[in-house]
Amino acid sequence: MNLPIYMDNASTTRTDPRVVEAMLPYFTETYGNSASRNHAFGWGAEAGVDRAREQAASLIGAGPKEIVWTSGATESNNLAIKGAALMYAKAPMGSEGRGHIITCIIEHKAVLDPCKRLEREGFDVTYLEPGSDGIVTADLVRAAIRDDTILVTIMWANNEIGTINDIPSIGAVCREHGVVFHTDATQWVGKMPTDVERDNVDLLSWSGHKIYGPGGVGALYVRRRRPRVRLQAMIDGGGHERGMRSGTLNVPGIVGFGAACEICENEMESERERLLALRLKLENELKGLMDVVEVNGHSERRLPHLTNISFGFVEGESLMMGIKDIACSSGSACTSASLEPSYVLKGLGLGDELAHSSLRLSLGRWSTEEEVDFAIKEIHQAVEHLRALSPLYDLHNEGIDITKIVWQSH
Amino acid sequence: MAYSEKVIDHYQNPRNVGSFGASSDVKERKDVGVGIVGAPECGDVMQLQIKVGDDGVIEDAKFKCFGCGSAIASSSLATEWIKGKSVDEALEIKNTRIVEELSLPPVKIHCSVLAEDSIRTAIEDYKKKNGQPVAAEAGHGHAH
Ligand SMILES: Cc1ncc(COP(=O)(O)O)c(C=O)c1O
């Protein structure tokens, strides 16, 4: 086992060496512009891109013509949300009442910020609040739909807590009301079975670097039939990607994206099971070793490989300092200029003190049981060390409810 | 974020951890002053207890801290610095000296401010318990 160990696969993943191998010839041998129709270099590049389009489409049950290459999930989300809003707007630029959009408060910023921009530009946005389990239900969506709703955008799985929304049912509600449905599936696709037909999805975003592919390349699925979804382009230029996203294609990146999709499709079943067993071990042993350890979000509807755990009375950043051989994320944002804890955890209604006390651990293709055992031992030691220092843990042990104390806030 | 060696040392080997008894007990003790500053929702709470001799010298100090490594180091350092000082000398300790000693980066200055506040609050508590006047200056707020 090499230290430090990597448990931050929800941030990004190691590129699979098989993916790198697939990419390499496209840098130095088949280096043509895939839009060059007059020579073998161009044809070779185009063949690589076409194959990747099939691999990507196959992973989500789509057709190859329904894939638009982008630079990543951020761009895919921007294109889907702004592109659909502008295409289906009910009033021209400069007016109010241009249409209603539904999203959720615990979406990724790459969804929330485009929605906020649209809000400033005359659209109305409803931000749904999930329950404390972090789940957005089809009923919540149904209740929010209005006559002027043009777009619903709800993530498939949450990047901080790993909770899974009921996308097929939300999609069905949207279909019933004739509303375009986008899902940010960055954390879901490649890890869990996806079928845009069965699951009633119109637009779907994902990113290469979360699925053991290269960074800087992503895809947007855009439904072509029943119903055909149209988007206004965000990047204008040479008219690539059927006019939806101009710019010479990143051929090696796209080839790598395709290869990553194919590997995920082939290995998903066994990988899921293996990672689920490791995650459950991690959660259960930590809960068994210490009191006031809470797994955040719904207990069952969650990704196999990701967990977000609050260790009561211990501040997240100091905990990270105590586990420096484990690369992971903390729900506490004390390092940044704002001292706000994660808006996702706060969105669940989690008390700030628990939000400040959380770790996100995300396993991946190369995670081993030995690493999980090591993480359990390290985290246990660090939490015990910090609880011995924690005035809040003392109060808790004296039977005092710290949420009832009036703190000298500052 | 990179921590200075001194912060890491205080984090790994915090000095003077503990208290002089449960919160309900020390409330009654006239020789003990308690300062609790910060709030869990801000991500840091410091508790400083001082034990003061008849001569007004801080004989012993104990801390507990919920907070980041810099907050832990600031309060640990504060206990080292105030031990053996008179209460009035201890009041002279400014947060900027803590920042210098621990090489705290700008985003962590609030940790040193909190440590200074905890010293003052503990001393004020001690003085109030003993019928001594406390300085008019209230704890200065600091931006979060
Ligand atoms: C749910 C979700 N959406 C969008 C993104 C943005 O992906 P990218 O940085 O690849 O554009 C991420 C990754 O951070 C994510 O987790």
Side-chain angles (χ1 to χ4, degrees):
Chain A
M1 187 174 66
N2 291 323
L3 296 180
I5 59 171
Y6 192 68
M7 289 207 175
D8 205 14
N9 287 277
S11 289
T12 196
T13 55
R14 174 178 181 231
T15 310
D16 193 307
R18 293 169 288 181
V19 168
V20 176
E21 198 157 321
M23 292 170 69
L24 288 177
Y26 290 87
F27 287 103
T28 52
E29 292 160 34
T30 316
Y31 50 81
N33 185 326
S34 57
S36 296
R37 293 278 148 78
N38 308 320
H39 51 67
F41 297 91
W43 302 328
E46 190 184 21
V49 170
D50 284 347
R51 170 136 193 270
R53 222 182 272 286
E54 271 161 27
Q55 290 164 318
S58 167
L59 181 63
I60 62 165
K65 288 187 176 149
E66 296 177 306
I67 302 297
V68 174
W69 299 119
T70 67
S71 63
T74 300
E75 188 189 332
S76 298
N77 287 342
N78 272 268
L79 175 56
I81 294 166
K82 296 189 225 168
L86 296 185
M87 182 58 76
Y88 298 101
K90 297 198 176 291
M93 194 151 53
S95 42
E96 289 298 305
R98 299 179 73 195
H100 176 233
I101 297 165
I102 299 171
T103 186
C104 157
I105 56 170
I106 64 169
E107 292 287 317
H108 193 273
K109 293 285 184 195
V111 165
L112 292 175
D113 287 353
C115 287
K116 282 188 198 142
R117 179 179 297 279
L118 290 169
E119 226 173 350
R120 292 194 296 272
E121 293 178 358
F123 293 87
D124 244 9
V125 180
T126 296
Y127 298 90
L128 298 176
E129 294 182 20
S132 58
D133 59 7
I135 306 287
V136 180
T137 62
D139 286 341
L140 266 181
V141 174
R142 183 191 298 281
I145 287 184
R146 315 192 307 215
D147 287 344
D148 64 339
T149 306
I150 54 174
L151 175 70
V152 170
T153 172
I154 298 292
M155 69 198 330
W156 209 316
N158 184 275
N159 49 298
E160 279 194 39
I161 54 176
T163 47
I164 297 169
N165 291 318
D166 185 357
I167 291 304
S169 304
I170 294 172
V173 168
C174 293
R175 195 61 56 82
E176 198 183 298
H177 290 84
V179 174
V180 174
F181 177 44
H182 167 251
T183 184
D184 175 355
T186 309
Q187 297 288 345
W188 168 272
V189 165
K191 319 288 166 68
M192 300 291 274
T194 308
D195 182 334
V196 288
E197 289 307 324
R198 179 196 63 203
D199 300 332
N200 307 314
V201 172
D202 296 328
L203 295 163
L204 177 147
S205 305
W206 80 109
S207 211
H209 69 101
K210 308 274 190 194
I211 58 168
Y212 313 101
V217 53
L220 177 65
Y221 157 76
V222 184
R223 175 174 288 280
R224 268 167 73 89
R225 293 183 325 125
R226 285 178 288 123
R228 181 187 183 89
V229 174
R230 293 165 59 217
L231 299 177
Q232 194 166 109
M234 296 292 112
I235 297 181
D236 298 315
H240 307 75
E241 300 299 282
R242 297 180 309 288
M244 278 187 273
R245 204 282 193 179
S246 289
T248 300
L249 296 183
N250 165 12
V251 177
I254 288 166
V255 167
F257 187 102
C261 288
E262 185 174 313
I263 296 169
C264 285
E265 190 171 346
N266 293 336
E267 302 185 358
M268 185 181 301
E269 279 313 309
S270 57
E271 199 159 280
R272 256 174 85 185
E273 266 178 50
R274 192 180 75 83
L275 295 182
L276 176 63
L278 290 182
R279 189 202 91 210
L280 290 174
K281 175 174 186 172
L282 186 62
E283 290 176 348
N284 291 336
E285 293 201 8
L286 287 171
K287 283 200 281 192
L289 285 166
M290 292 170 278
D291 61 342
V292 202
V293 173
E294 304 284 346
V295 175
N296 295 312
H298 196 281
S299 55
E300 276 124 47
R301 293 192 57 92
R302 51 197 310 118
L303 292 170
H305 58 286
L306 192 165
T307 188
N308 186 302
I309 313 182
S310 289
F311 300 89
F313 322 112
V314 166
E315 191 274 335
E317 196 186 320
S318 62
L319 182 52
M320 299 274 279
M321 204 173 156
I323 53 170
K324 58 183 186 317
D325 284 326
I326 307 171
C328 64
S329 300
S330 156
S332 169
C334 188
T335 38
S336 63
S338 81
L339 293 174
E340 285 292 293
S342 142
Y343 70 93
V344 171
L345 296 177
K346 286 183 76 171
L348 305 187
L350 203 66
D352 281 355
E353 67 289 350
L354 277 181
H356 271 300
S357 304
S358 79
L359 288 184
R360 179 186 72 176
L361 300 158
S362 44
L363 307 172
R365 187 165 284 163
W366 293 278
S367 298
T368 64
E369 183 159 9
E370 192 188 8
E371 288 178 343
V372 168
D373 288 334
F374 175 80
I376 292 165
K377 193 175 102 248
E378 290 281 294
I379 295 169
H380 179 214
Q381 275 176 3
V383 172
E384 300 270 289
H385 172 70
L386 291 166
R387 281 186 175 172
L389 294 181
S390 172
L392 304 181
Y393 194 51
D394 283 350
L395 291 170
H396 168 73
N397 287 331
E398 285 177 35
I400 297 166
D401 179 353
I402 63 163
T403 62
K404 302 263 154 61
I405 296 180
V406 181
W407 295 94
Q408 178 229 309
S409 244
H410 45 285
Chain B
M1 110 162 346
Y3 297 94
S4 69
E5 264 170 45
K6 282 183 180 156
V7 168
I8 293 171
D9 181 43
H10 278 283
Y11 173 88
Q12 284 170 345
N13 311 293
R15 330 287 200 261
N16 306 308
V17 176
S19 65
F20 299 113
S23 52
S24 48
D25 298 336
V26 289
K27 237 185 222 144
E28 311 299 324
R29 285 180 56 177
K30 285 199 156 180
D31 61 334
V32 173
V34 181
I36 301 182
V37 296
E41 61 267 26
C42 299
D44 32 36
V45 174
M46 278 181 198
Q47 171 185 296
L48 178 69
Q49 299 191 352
I50 52 171
K51 191 153 157 282
V52 184
D54 295 336
D55 52 359
V57 170
I58 299 171
E59 287 173 355
D60 202 358
K62 299 269 187 211
F63 88 97
K64 290 244 168 166
C65 178
F66 164 87
C68 65
S70 305
I72 291 170
S74 297
S75 38
S76 170
L77 179 66
T79 61
E80 282 194 313
W81 278 358
I82 60 175
K83 267 171 53 163
K85 287 200 166 66
S86 74
V87 289
D88 290 323
E89 283 165 355
L91 280 174
E92 307 273 286
I93 295 172
K94 290 283 165 262
N95 80 292
T96 45
R97 277 186 55 203
I98 297 175
V99 172
E100 271 167 38
E101 174 71 14
L102 297 175
S103 314
L104 298 182
V107 294
K108 293 300 182 187
I109 288 175
H110 71 277
C111 299
S112 69
V113 175
L114 215 52
E116 184 191 316
D117 283 353
S118 73
I119 297 172
R120 190 180 34 256
T121 315
I123 291 173
E124 281 172 5
D125 181 56
Y126 165 80
K127 286 189 169 177
K128 273 188 205 141
K129 280 176 174 173
N130 290 280
Q132 299 175 16
V134 297
E137 188 213 1
H140 56 78
H142 48 96
H144 257 194

